[in-house]
Amino acid sequence: MKVLALVLATFLVAIQAQLWVGRGSLPYVAHLREEVAAARADNDKARARNDQLQAELRDLREGLEMVEEKARFELGMIKADEVFVPLAPVRPASAASPVSR
């Protein structure tokens, strides 16, 4: 009877050890859940970027408006019949007229 109790106690200790420090332990499972949450966040960011690129690609395939817009903003395109007027950045009133004392 004492041998049986000793064997059962050993099994109980082994099971508890696995629960607290083994591969299936509670801290290990919590760590895996954090990794899964981080991976899901990365996937959501990548999915949003993919959606944006697909929309841009669809616009490029459908018409020339997107091509013209990109050429204007990224390459500085000006049409033949347009007049380009560069604007200086607006300065605050205090910086525009210094006060002398």
Side-chain angles (χ1 to χ4, degrees), residues 35-48:
E35 285 185 3
V36 167
R40 284 186 179 153
D42 290 342
N43 286 344
D44 290 341
K45 288 179 186 176
R47 190 172 292 116

Side-chain angles (χ1 to χ4, degrees), residues 42-57:
D42 290 342
N43 286 344
D44 290 341
K45 288 179 186 176
R47 190 172 292 116
R49 178 70 177 140
N50 285 344
D51 291 343
Q52 179 185 5
L53 289 173
Q54 285 179 350
E56 189 173 327
L57 182 62

Side-chain angles (χ1 to χ4, degrees), residues 20-83:
W20 295 106
V21 295
R23 181 171 165 90
S25 69
L26 296 176
Y28 183 73
V29 170
H31 172 70
L32 289 179
R33 286 184 181 173
E34 289 174 3
E35 285 185 3
V36 167
R40 284 186 179 153
D42 290 342
N43 286 344
D44 290 341
K45 288 179 186 176
R47 190 172 292 116
R49 178 70 177 140
N50 285 344
D51 291 343
Q52 179 185 5
L53 289 173
Q54 285 179 350
E56 189 173 327
L57 182 62
R58 188 173 37 253
D59 287 344
L60 286 172
R61 286 182 179 165
E62 287 178 358
L64 295 176
E65 294 87 16
M66 185 67 173
V67 174
E68 182 179 338
E69 180 182 340
K70 281 202 163 289
R72 287 180 177 278
F73 288 109
E74 293 179 8
L75 303 175
M77 180 189 95
I78 302 171
K79 290 184 178 180
D81 58 347
E82 291 181 335
V83 176

